Amino acid sequence: MQENRFQRNSRQREIILEELRKLHSHPTAATLYKLVSKRIPRISLGTVYRNLDLLSRKGIIHKLEVGGSATRFDGDISKHYHICCTECGRIDDALDFSDKIINVDISDFNGYAVKGYHINFYGICSDCRESH
Amino acid sequence: MQENRFQRNSRQREIILEELRKLHSHPTAATLYKLVSKRIPRISLGTVYRNLDLLSRKGIIHKLEVGGSATRFDGDISKHYHICCTECGRIDDALDFSDKIINVDISDFNGYAVKGYHINFYGICSDCRESH
DNA sequence: GTCCCTGCAAACTCTTTGCATAAAA
DNA sequence: TTTTATGCAAAGAGTTTGCAGGGAC
């Protein structure tokens, strides 16, 4: 992250990004805070929020547009969808099959300049299916 | 709402539903609370939340699965999508064109029993386009 | 040395909940 | 009369922010 996208580089931001990229579990800020705390014990939750917000506004990570009380973050910004378990709240990656999904012209709709769309699948994950 | 779906019928619930159904603006609980307050001045925000939750769990209204800090509600449960303005947060209805959208088999995915999906479009609404 | 970023804590927004009372049935 | 639903207020969860001090450059 030796990029010029920030006014300063900080160890905190570097490690937050590093830890987020290790995961495929789309953690909340609180989860990430716990992980990062192991490496920077005195880091504050506020710093985690500030950096996650900054990173997502720079397009380096994604805030997921899924329901649920807490915002979830994704270090993988390649195009892909998500599938959420309605039982346990777990979120997994789903492949990008947008070419097979969207084949109507949505460029101008209801007066909107349409920029894109979010798709989230939902269902019951294998773990929850077993425990039923 | 003379239905047997509830243990009791209440004037509060009736009016909350009535006001929600008047709107196409997908209001938050707080917005709806202000409207309903005009008709029932002593109603509490807690009652609005409780009834919106109840109504959505009975399938009479929908909680929208869109991003944003506050949950939004929709009194129209016919199948349709939504489009959100990234500038002002406004949410409009979008037609249901699911038959043209999803044409891959998603019934079993990644071990999930897939139940469905949510699609939200986003872009810039006509009002915001003008003011740029 | 400058000024951005941090840690800390307080504040803020949205939502839920416990309790006594009011109102359906 | 019985029991659910309400109003009120407090509490809870998630997130943001003001400020003084520390660290990047």
Side-chain angles (χ1 to χ4, degrees):
Chain A
M1 217 174 61
Q2 66 302 344
E3 358 203 0
N4 296 339
R5 306 203 229 183
F6 301 99
Q7 320 219 19
R8 295 268 195 291
N9 289 321
S10 82
R11 177 171 147 73
Q12 283 82 348
R13 182 156 55 230
E14 218 160 305
I15 291 184
I16 288 167
L17 182 57
E18 214 174 285
E19 290 297 322
L20 178 58
R21 284 184 171 159
K22 277 188 196 166
L23 299 176
H24 290 260
S25 55
H26 317 90
T28 62
T31 303
L32 208 44
Y33 167 66
K34 281 180 205 148
L35 281 168
V36 173
S37 292
K38 291 179 187 165
R39 297 177 61 184
I40 312 179
R42 298 186 54 85
I43 197 170
S44 80
L45 185 54
T47 296
V48 173
Y49 272 107
R50 269 187 290 234
N51 278 300
L52 288 172
D53 192 55
L54 199 51
L55 287 162
S56 74
R57 280 191 287 105
K58 297 278 181 182
I60 297 170
I61 67 173
H62 278 336
K63 279 191 185 175
L64 297 193
E65 294 290 330
V66 298
S69 48
T71 305
R72 285 163 163 277
F73 297 89
D74 195 343
D76 174 8
I77 58 171
S78 71
K79 193 160 180 352
H80 63 281
Y81 300 129
H82 293 102
I83 181 160
C84 311
C85 180
T86 51
E87 300 289 312
C88 66
R90 164 178 163 179
I91 300 179
D92 282 301
D93 290 327
L95 292 175
D96 170 31
F97 34 80
S98 53
D99 54 324
K100 292 177 184 164
I101 288 191
I102 297 284
N103 42 31
V104 286
D105 179 21
I106 53 162
S107 57
D108 185 85
F109 188 76
N110 256 10
Y112 275 76
V114 183
K115 300 293 182 192
Y117 58 89
H118 299 291
I119 298 189
N120 296 303
F121 297 92
Y122 59 90
I124 303 180
C125 74
S126 47
D127 289 358
C128 288
R129 288 167 88 173
E130 279 167 24
S131 56
H132 269 314
Chain B
M1 214 175 62
Q2 66 303 346
E3 358 203 0
N4 297 338
R5 307 202 226 183
F6 302 98
Q7 319 218 19
R8 295 268 196 293
N9 289 320
S10 80
R11 177 171 146 73
Q12 283 81 349
R13 184 157 52 232
E14 218 160 304
I15 291 184
I16 288 166
L17 181 58
E18 214 174 286
E19 290 296 324
L20 178 57
R21 283 183 172 160
K22 277 188 197 166
L23 299 176
H24 290 260
S25 57
H26 317 91
T28 62
T31 304
L32 208 43
Y33 167 65
K34 281 180 204 149
L35 281 168
V36 174
S37 293
K38 291 180 186 163
R39 297 177 62 185
I40 312 178
R42 297 185 56 84
I43 197 171
S44 79
L45 184 53
T47 296
V48 174
Y49 272 107
R50 268 187 291 234
N51 278 301
L52 288 172
D53 192 55
L54 198 52
L55 287 163
S56 73
R57 280 192 287 106
K58 299 276 183 185
I60 297 169
I61 66 172
H62 279 336
K63 279 190 186 176
L64 297 193
E65 294 290 332
V66 298
S69 47
T71 304
R72 284 159 165 278
F73 297 88
D74 195 343
D76 174 7
I77 58 171
S78 72
K79 193 161 179 355
H80 63 281
Y81 301 128
H82 294 101
I83 181 161
C84 312
C85 179
T86 51
E87 300 288 312
C88 66
R90 165 179 164 178
I91 300 179
D92 282 301
D93 290 327
L95 292 175
D96 170 31
F97 35 80
S98 53
D99 54 322
K100 291 179 183 163
I101 287 190
I102 295 284
N103 42 32
V104 288
D105 178 22
I106 54 161
S107 58
D108 185 85
F109 187 75
N110 257 8
Y112 274 76
V114 182
K115 301 292 183 195
Y117 59 91
H118 299 290
I119 300 190
N120 296 303
F121 297 92
Y122 58 90
I124 303 180
C125 75
S126 48
D127 289 359
C128 289
R129 288 167 88 173
E130 279 167 24
S131 57
H132 270 315

